[in-house]
Amino acid sequence: MDGRELVRSMKVVGSVQGLRAVRSAWRQRRTDARELAPRGPERARVPGPVTGAESLPGGGTVRFARAELHVCVMVGGAVFWGWDGAEPLPSYALADVPPEPDPRAGLEPDKDGGWRVVSERVTVAISRNGGVEVRTPGGVVLRRELPPRWWEPVAGGPARWVQRTEVPADARFFGLGGRASGPRLRDGAYRLWNTDPGGGFGPGDDPLYVTMPVQLVVADAGTHLAFHDNSWDGRVTLREGEEGAGSGHDRPGTSELRMDGGPLRCWVVTGTPARVLHSWTALSGAPVPPPSWALGPQHARWGFGSAREVRRVVAGYRERGLPLSALHLDIDHYDAHQVFTVDRERFPDLPGLAEELRADGVRLVSIVDPAVKAERGNAVYESGRAVGQAGAFVRDGRGREVLGVVWPGECVYPDFTDPAVRAWWGALYEERLAQGFAGVWHDMNEPVSFAPFGDTTLPRSARHQLEGRGGDHREAHNVYGLTMARAGYEGLRRLRPDERPFLFSRSGWAGMQRYGGTWSGDVSTGWPGLRASLSLVLGLGLCGVPYSGPDVGGFDGNPTPELYLRWFQLGAYLPLFRTHAAIDAGRREPWEFGPEVLEHARAALGGRERLRPYFVTLAQLARLTGAPYARPVWWGSPEDRALRDCEDTFLLGDALLVAPVLERGTDRRAVRLPRGRWYDTATEKAYEGPGQVLLDAPLSRIPVLARAGAVIPIRGEDGRPELEVWAPAAGRSGGGLVVQDPGEGPRKAEAEAEAEVQVERYTSRLVNGEVRVERVTDEGAVEAEWPVRVRGR
């Protein structure tokens, strides 16, 4: 949602809200100037020469003249290292205690006075001056960390530091959270500070709402993920390498990470892309799958305005035979924009409306902002003041509540880094459930405080609990949305233990997938915004957050019918499929764009519903394996350099390749194929990869191809599940995985819940010219129980 540019422009300075924003911004600056001492003179430090080492299980400690490095290879192959006493815990990113050290690995002397740790999957070499290399078992260097450098204030305070890294010359960079310019990250600087960009954004805007120090690197030598576990403000500067021509030398790719403070500690996992994501989510937590209804089409708008308008929109879908799973209510349904309230005049019976819509198969989802109006008599504010000894809200160094300006006016902010505050906030969701809402969407949780200039967040000196350790907003800012998501998710689980929570959040950090997903935020209406939508989803998936999607049609402005339709067609193949718009951006119902767009949108909606069992499977597989639903086309062939540079197509699971139309006036487009046979799902014509083909992309559809041999669960014409099988090539076999929706039910321990999810494995092959599909069981192959539809013969 936006309108924030209004409060930032000089036009609103004369308004009451604008004056409050100006006063809040000046107050923030004065507070930081008073409570954050200037850094003053600094002393630079490097590790210096090695002086000794101690071997421990999985690795050991290497001592240098002016620093100390602890290195450990864990069971499973994950590598951890930390400087100057930095340990894996405490960490907001890790789901649990870290894995056990690999008992077979230990520190041993290396050449030139260095040390190394050798394990089955990876070798870590430490140079005599503090450099760290991660190598394959064959000795090929995947990542070379140069000796770090610290700058420590002479008068005391947090040290800032820089870590420079070299990667192979052919490597490509991905990740760093939600980046509009991705998914491949070109040369440039990327800030690590969750930010409301203050209006619609496009590919040139950075940073955005979800930043993470999670970097995925793909090269001929292999794929690896590096995570610097530090939530402070920072900046990553990337430069792709260049291979030498003829007898010339390669120039390695480089990554430079500069942090304003916090520990210097890093995790690295290596392997195939699938293995890397599996290892990463084993560390940071399994993605929580959404309820199956949240995998259907959803509709939102800032400005429904009344229960009558909600009924009109839902009736419009039903009268036109269009599927709809959920409808989202923005801040306009609140009483004076105050969280956990309802405008009784415009929504006189919200529980009744929710019950009425649910009977028609439509759930209501509520927005929830963290800012609480700082007004005596406000029930949420008063209850927050009673939490613990100091209350629930973020305070400054003098113990006073930090005030900002958001939609309700002057507001305070819950400190979600305090377990007691999370428990209090989670209990407040009982009001949302009592109103009939089936899920929540967190907004404005970077967090945001309106300002006509400067940083639109809390003072950096604001104090946080940080799980009892204590600290300020410099450390807490990037994890604010993550901890709010934790509070909401855990509250929903306690309140409705028999329902799978549905929650997605605009802001977050590494590990946010444990509590739900995210969405693009206020992406600009326009063709660049459409392209940015795909970049965000793919990049977030490679950071371990598989459930996300854009505001279909863009948040601000009015899309042309063609742009809206192409966005709608892309959204139908992304995990979160939701239309949304600003209060002044017009309606986004498909019928508002004319009869032709309506019919083509109907086809896209029908295709999404047809694939609903496949999306359920992908959601459960993401939880079990960490694999994102939407994947870059190089996912299964990272060694294919042409695929590494392909950014306008993606894989949906292993079975489908989707080629959205991202440019105006396009009716044909080039599509680069991974190796193997691929079928155009519209014409059933076969194409052989690797290579590039030119496919029709009429206004009625976008190109979608199916992998030969793929077995895909679909919803048949009668609404019952079927298996759609694409004929394998002669002499080859295929297959697929199917996970049926486990449904709702009492929540159990995660291990028990995983045991309840039955992954069915199917194979396909040609037998005497006929396609045979069998289910693989412990007792052997058996005939498929579901009806089978064969295509591509």
Side-chain angles (χ1 to χ4, degrees), residues 315-328:
Y317 273 88
R318 292 295 175 253
E319 290 166 2
R320 293 167 177 84
L322 306 176
L324 180 66
S325 290
L327 187 137
H328 299 222

Side-chain angles (χ1 to χ4, degrees), residues 158-446:
R160 58 189 181 94
W161 53 264
V162 61
Q163 175 71 75
R164 296 183 176 93
T165 306
E166 294 179 350
V167 297
D170 64 286
R172 295 291 181 260
F173 297 102
F174 301 86
L176 298 183
R179 305 287 169 170
S181 60
R184 172 186 164 192
L185 300 178
R186 262 67 171 190
D187 295 359
Y190 301 86
R191 191 178 176 195
L192 298 170
W193 187 254
N194 292 349
T195 303
D196 168 19
F201 66 86
D205 293 298
D206 188 273
L208 298 175
Y209 313 97
V210 181
T211 67
M212 299 181 193
V214 178
Q215 187 181 96
L216 191 79
V217 182
V218 184
D220 288 354
T223 300
H224 74 271
L225 180 147
F227 168 57
H228 286 85
D229 194 350
N230 184 319
S231 62
W232 284 61
D233 193 358
R235 189 174 300 272
V236 179
T237 303
L238 301 177
R239 186 184 181 194
E240 292 182 346
E242 184 176 343
E243 294 180 294
S247 59
H249 293 290
D250 288 352
R251 176 175 60 79
T254 60
S255 170
E256 179 185 272
L257 172 61
R258 289 182 176 269
M259 300 297 293
D260 287 350
L264 203 177
R265 54 183 179 175
C266 183
W267 289 90
V268 173
V269 292
T270 66
T272 64
R275 174 174 285 181
V276 164
L277 264 295
H278 186 265
S279 298
W280 169 234
T281 52
L283 285 171
S284 61
V288 59
S292 59
W293 59 262
L295 294 169
Q298 305 179 49
H299 187 80
R301 191 206 307 161
W302 180 15
F304 281 120
S306 68
R308 179 180 181 182
E309 177 66 4
V310 168
R311 290 187 173 95
R312 186 196 70 81
V313 170
V314 173
Y317 273 88
R318 292 295 175 253
E319 290 166 2
R320 293 167 177 84
L322 306 176
L324 180 66
S325 290
L327 187 137
H328 299 222
L329 296 187
D330 212 312
I331 58 171
D332 52 288
H333 87 278
Y334 282 136
D335 182 8
H337 296 163
Q338 296 185 62
V339 68
F340 301 120
T341 65
V342 176
D343 185 328
R344 302 292 180 183
E345 182 176 338
R346 292 184 293 169
F347 292 87
D349 182 15
L350 192 52
L353 174 64
E355 184 178 358
E356 172 188 328
L357 296 184
R358 185 178 287 236
D360 208 17
V362 179
R363 268 79 169 181
L364 277 183
V365 175
S366 171
I367 192 171
V368 173
D369 290 354
V372 175
K373 186 174 179 63
E375 181 178 70
R376 300 308 295 261
N378 174 8
V380 177
Y381 178 60
E382 296 289 2
S383 68
R385 286 170 59 90
V387 174
Q389 293 183 344
F393 305 113
V394 176
R395 294 178 178 268
D396 63 19
R398 298 183 178 184
R400 300 175 302 185
E401 292 173 346
V402 171
L403 296 176
V405 177
V406 201
W407 303 115
E410 282 199 323
C411 293
V412 290
Y413 299 82
D415 180 7
F416 297 115
T417 68
D418 183 340
V421 175
R422 290 198 296 268
W424 161 74
W425 185 263
L428 296 176
Y429 287 71
E430 183 175 12
E431 183 273 341
R432 294 289 86 187
L433 296 176
Q435 297 295 340
F437 289 107
V440 293
W441 125 58
H442 287 175
D443 203 351
M444 307 291 286
N445 58 340
E446 288 71 39

Side-chain angles (χ1 to χ4, degrees), residues 553-609:
F555 181 75
D556 60 347
N558 294 283
T560 64
E562 180 191 8
L563 174 60
Y564 173 82
L565 180 59
R566 292 309 196 187
W567 218 317
F568 201 87
Q569 291 166 335
L570 167 63
Y573 290 95
L574 296 179
L576 172 60
F577 180 22
R578 183 183 85 144
T579 58
H580 188 40
I583 195 167
D584 57 351
R587 294 171 174 169
R588 292 287 168 81
E589 293 79 49
W591 56 88
E592 298 290 346
F593 295 86
E596 183 180 16
V597 170
L598 173 60
E599 288 311 305
H600 299 332
R602 185 194 311 278
L605 286 167
R608 173 65 175 229
E609 288 298 278

